[in-house]
Amino acid sequence: VPSFFEKLDRAMTRNRSLLCVGLDPDPSKLPAGAGLLDFNRSIIEATAHAVCAYKPNLAFYEALGVEGWHLLKETIACIPEDIPVIADAKRGDIGNTARAYAQAIFEQLECDAVTVSPYLGLDSLEPFIAYREKGIFILCRTSNTGAADFQDLAVKSDGHELPLYQLVARRASEWNIHGNVGLVVGGTCPAELGTIRRNHPAMTLLVPGVGAQGGKLDSILAAGMDRDRKGLIINVSRQILYASTGSDYARVASETAEKITREINDIRDDVEQV
Amino acid sequence: VPSFFEKLDRAMTRNRSLLCVGLDPDPSKLPAGAGLLDFNRSIIEATAHAVCAYKPNLAFYEALGVEGWHLLKETIACIPEDIPVIADAKRGDIGNTARAYAQAIFEQLECDAVTVSPYLGLDSLEPFIAYREKGIFILCRTSNTGAADFQDLAVKSDGHELPLYQLVARRASEWNIHGNVGLVVGGTCPAELGTIRRNHPAMTLLVPGVGAQGGKLDSILAAGMDRDRKGLIINVSRQILYASTGSDYARVASETAEKITREINDIRDDVEQV
């Protein structure tokens, strides 16, 4: 069985794509007559040739109650075996509780990767990292305005001073003893993305915040690509899912995913890396 | 309908108790023959006279898959109306996603309060805080060893330097415009607990880490009580749930909860506040 990062790399190459589609169902935005599972299944079928990963955010399923957990399991079952699934869960709790979360996401939901929060430190992340074949993306610099409240503050560590998000990246890299740790860095802050890429040339960065949140592909790619012009998983949710609110939503989602993938690839071919 | 903090205060007074029981089911520790819902229901019935709140940690339910969400809903339904329920979820995500998490916890699960993570800043917390009648406990200084990795580091803010956890407490207090925000502070670090109490005399502190994790009641109470000898929700999970692994588990849980409540009250009556 291939690991998350093997699966990811193969899908990136096979589909020539760095695009991840965020599967975030919003009942208020569904095309008339479509059920949530049908909608997710159609989106997956329409985009599977153009993506490197899917990323359901658990919040949107939990908001639907018990039914939402059924929907999440059934949605994950619709995703082709050879495309990895990243559970966007942003979990973070102490050791024995973190173990239960890891079990929920890797064993119950059978996801290939997860997002986690660093605030509780190493022992809250170890139970996830211990699943060597899974991918662990640690929140580093997020795409929202509140990111500045704590992540950008200067902290002192080992006699040096640096922004908290950079220290989180450094620790994540030190804790990456199995090679299965990546970082979440928002697409709305290319300067911070560039700094993280320079400091951590080989780390895979999961980048939300493109499209609806305002992140621009050219600056993200210039700042964030690694030396192989990869190393980025660029997530787009609403811009693809709700590209059309008519009955043609799957076709329009497919075209939008292809267009974004082409746009990314054109920039990959052209741009000077920073 | 009373708010979370009204419900909490009434339960604290009625039961003369600062004890919160953590409802964290562990299938491997269940007494022979007991089902998970029966176990939770028996624990609730056996302890409801001796507690001020219940705190299910969502991780232990999620680890059971879709069945776990059913169990969680059914467990919450077993809790008497006049005892508040704190969803220990430690969620933290950007605005529209945080809204979905708040909806999941307050509307689907109908919990009275929630724990949240501060790493993403104010706009990740606002959708929770907007539920004025609910309680929002922001992670501040946690009970695990990894807490030191980031929470204890000196950060610079507004020209001052202070540990990150103290800045989180200060911001939480500034963001507490509806009076519904509290803090999570581990019982394993009474010095930090005392600092937070001195800086924030009126804030309610949710204190895990007692018992199995090593927190001591006398130092917690001396450091953390407010001027009314309250202001603390002291959580105990395993020490009560698994006090006996025989068929007498409910009776022993009841006696253990009463014993801890008495111990807390003896200290409340006696101790000099720090």
Side-chain angles (χ1 to χ4, degrees):
Chain A
V1 184
S3 73
F4 164 75
F5 279 105
E6 286 164 349
K7 234 168 136 169
L8 177 73
D9 197 59
R10 289 177 200 175
M12 279 182 172
T13 304
R14 191 176 59 247
N15 291 342
R16 188 160 151 67
S17 176
L18 305 183
L19 175 66
C20 172
V21 171
L23 297 169
D24 303 343
D26 180 343
S28 73
K29 288 183 184 158
L30 277 198
L36 284 164
L37 181 59
D38 285 341
F39 178 79
N40 281 352
R41 188 191 288 117
S42 302
I43 292 286
I44 293 164
E45 287 173 358
T47 57
H49 64 291
V51 305
C52 68
Y54 287 104
K55 180 177 78 59
N57 188 309
L58 271 56
F60 297 100
Y61 298 87
E62 294 181 21
L64 304 171
V66 172
E67 282 314 299
W69 278 79
H70 281 287
L71 175 66
L72 179 55
K73 276 212 88 146
E74 288 167 340
T75 297
I76 291 167
C78 295
I79 296 174
E81 257 310 302
D82 54 7
I83 300 181
V85 182
I86 304 167
D88 197 354
K90 301 188 173 68
R91 298 301 196 253
D93 209 316
I94 64 167
N96 74 317
T97 314
R99 242 187 319 279
Y101 275 130
Q103 200 181 328
I105 285 157
F106 296 145
E107 299 182 27
Q108 287 291 345
L109 293 172
E110 300 180 84
C111 291
D112 301 292
V114 68
T115 61
V116 292
S117 177
Y119 192 69
L120 275 73
L122 175 59
D123 62 348
S124 73
L125 305 174
E126 277 175 331
F128 294 97
I129 296 172
Y131 286 80
R132 298 180 180 213
E133 77 285 9
K134 303 293 186 180
I136 318 301
F137 289 90
I138 300 175
L139 293 179
C140 176
R141 177 58 169 77
T142 54
S143 57
N144 60 322
T145 53
D149 289 331
F150 302 116
Q151 298 165 24
D152 288 353
L153 299 180
V155 298
K156 278 192 175 165
S157 174
D158 311 328
H160 297 282
E161 197 171 274
L162 75 178
L164 177 59
Y165 81 88
Q166 288 181 26
L167 180 67
V168 167
R170 184 187 292 178
R171 290 287 175 264
S173 146
E174 290 164 6
W175 297 337
N176 186 16
I177 53 174
H178 304 311
N180 63 344
V181 173
L183 298 170
V184 178
V185 185
T188 52
C189 47
E192 289 82 352
L193 185 64
T195 303
I196 292 167
R197 173 53 71 213
R198 278 191 299 278
N199 293 344
H200 306 283
M203 258 192 158
T204 299
L205 310 179
L206 172 60
V207 181
V210 179
Q213 289 179 63
K216 298 271 174 280
L217 289 174
D218 48 1
S219 48
I220 291 168
L221 285 155
M225 283 194 303
D226 65 15
R227 282 175 203 140
D228 300 327
R229 297 178 174 261
K230 296 198 288 189
L232 292 175
I233 304 169
I234 299 177
N235 186 75
V236 178
S237 301
R238 289 168 271 182
Q239 194 189 344
I240 290 174
L241 301 187
Y242 309 112
S244 161
T245 52
S247 59
D248 60 348
Y249 70 89
R251 188 179 52 77
V252 181
S254 177
E255 290 167 4
T256 308
E258 289 173 8
K259 187 174 151 283
I260 297 173
T261 297
R262 259 199 317 272
E263 212 176 316
I264 292 172
N265 287 338
D266 287 348
I267 303 171
R268 282 166 85 189
D269 292 339
D270 286 350
V271 81
E272 281 296 312
Q273 281 162 289
V274 176
Chain B
V1 183
S3 72
F4 164 75
F5 279 105
E6 285 164 350
K7 233 167 137 171
L8 178 74
D9 198 59
R10 290 177 198 174
M12 279 183 171
T13 303
R14 190 176 61 248
N15 291 342
R16 190 161 148 67
S17 174
L18 304 183
L19 175 66
C20 172
V21 171
L23 297 170
D24 303 343
D26 181 342
S28 74
K29 287 183 183 158
L30 278 198
L36 284 165
L37 180 59
D38 285 341
F39 178 79
N40 281 353
R41 187 191 290 114
S42 302
I43 293 286
I44 292 164
E45 287 172 359
T47 57
H49 63 291
V51 305
C52 67
Y54 287 104
K55 182 177 76 61
N57 189 310
L58 272 54
F60 297 100
Y61 298 86
E62 294 181 21
L64 304 171
V66 172
E67 283 314 300
W69 279 80
H70 281 286
L71 175 66
L72 178 55
K73 276 212 88 147
E74 289 166 339
T75 298
I76 291 168
C78 295
I79 296 174
E81 256 312 302
D82 54 5
I83 300 180
V85 183
I86 304 167
D88 198 354
K90 302 189 175 68
R91 299 300 196 255
D93 209 315
I94 63 165
N96 73 316
T97 314
R99 242 185 321 277
Y101 275 130
Q103 199 182 329
I105 285 158
F106 295 144
E107 299 181 28
Q108 288 290 343
L109 293 172
E110 299 180 83
C111 291
D112 300 292
V114 68
T115 61
V116 291
S117 177
Y119 191 68
L120 274 73
L122 174 59
D123 61 347
S124 73
L125 305 174
E126 278 175 330
F128 295 96
I129 296 173
Y131 286 79
R132 298 179 179 213
E133 76 285 7
K134 304 294 186 179
I136 318 301
F137 290 91
I138 300 175
L139 294 178
C140 177
R141 179 57 170 78
T142 55
S143 57
N144 59 322
T145 53
D149 290 329
F150 301 115
Q151 298 165 25
D152 289 353
L153 298 180
V155 298
K156 277 192 176 163
S157 173
D158 311 328
H160 297 282
E161 200 171 90
L162 75 180
L164 177 59
Y165 80 88
Q166 287 181 27
L167 181 66
V168 167
R170 183 186 294 179
R171 291 285 175 264
S173 148
E174 292 164 4
W175 297 337
N176 186 17
I177 52 172
H178 304 311
N180 62 344
V181 173
L183 298 170
V184 179
V185 185
T188 53
C189 47
E192 288 82 352
L193 185 63
T195 303
I196 291 168
R197 173 53 73 214
R198 277 191 301 280
N199 293 344
H200 306 282
M203 257 190 158
T204 300
L205 310 178
L206 172 60
V207 181
V210 179
Q213 291 180 59
K216 298 272 174 278
L217 288 175
D218 48 2
S219 48
I220 290 168
L221 285 155
M225 284 194 302
D226 65 15
R227 281 173 204 143
D228 300 326
R229 297 180 175 260
K230 296 198 286 189
L232 291 175
I233 304 169
I234 299 177
N235 186 75
V236 177
S237 302
R238 289 168 272 184
Q239 194 190 343
I240 290 174
L241 301 187
Y242 310 111
S244 161
T245 52
S247 58
D248 61 349
Y249 71 90
R251 189 180 52 78
V252 182
S254 176
E255 289 166 5
T256 309
E258 288 172 8
K259 186 173 152 284
I260 296 173
T261 296
R262 260 199 317 273
E263 212 176 316
I264 291 173
N265 287 337
D266 288 348
I267 303 170
R268 282 167 85 188
D269 293 339
D270 287 349
V271 81
E272 282 296 313
Q273 282 163 287
V274 176

